[in-house]
Amino acid sequence: KYLILVSTYTQKVNIFTGSAGNWTLYKTTPCATGVISTFTPQVFGRLTRHERTHYSASGTSYYEWLSYFTSGNAFHTRIKKTSSGGYRSRTLGKPMSGGCVRLYDDIARFIYYDVPLGTATWIY
């Protein structure tokens, strides 16, 4: 039903609807992929699991609506501060992450709730 393509060059996520040989662009949105030292793997894979909220080891920040495309990399919201709920970094459109794909909240929520596990993802 869905196909997700992520360009690490343009820092865009493209979500398509349809089926093999008949895809229609549904949404395009900016993202933030990994920096050089913690790059986002360029891989063809599938969504493997969801996690509602993940807290940092220090407990000072968190992100929500995780949808994993590798064992350690996921689509998720921008990182939020535990103390205020505000964002630690609002930046999208350039590499900023530790290898995951950061998104606007509504897009991360959409992938979490509406895009089924097993959906093909291509990070290039």
Side-chain angles (χ1 to χ4, degrees), residues 52-123:
R52 175 61 180 85
T53 306
H54 183 86
Y55 288 88
S56 66
S58 65
T60 59
S61 59
Y62 68 100
Y63 32 91
E64 300 178 290
W65 299 301
L66 295 86
S67 298
Y68 287 87
F69 55 87
T70 70
S71 61
N73 300 98
F75 297 102
H76 61 71
T77 62
R78 294 167 290 168
I79 298 176
K80 300 177 182 184
K81 297 176 189 175
T82 306
S83 60
S84 67
Y87 294 99
R88 191 175 85 190
S89 171
R90 292 181 171 273
T91 302
L92 294 177
K94 66 180 186 176
M96 292 288 295
S97 81
C100 288
V101 178
R102 295 181 190 172
L103 299 165
Y104 289 120
D105 290 9
D106 61 327
I107 301 298
R109 188 180 321 114
F110 169 78
I111 293 172
Y112 180 90
Y113 283 114
D114 296 326
V115 178
L117 296 179
T119 294
T121 61
W122 185 21
I123 317 298

Side-chain angles (χ1 to χ4, degrees), residues 6 8 16 27 37 40 43 52 59:
V6 179
T8 59
F16 294 85
K27 292 180 185 273
S37 60
T40 302
V43 63
R52 175 61 180 85

Side-chain angles (χ1 to χ4, degrees), residues 26-45:
Y26 177 65
K27 292 180 185 273
T28 297
T29 185
C31 67
T33 61
V35 296
I36 290 173
S37 60
T38 56
F39 64 92
T40 302
Q42 296 190 349
V43 63
F44 178 82

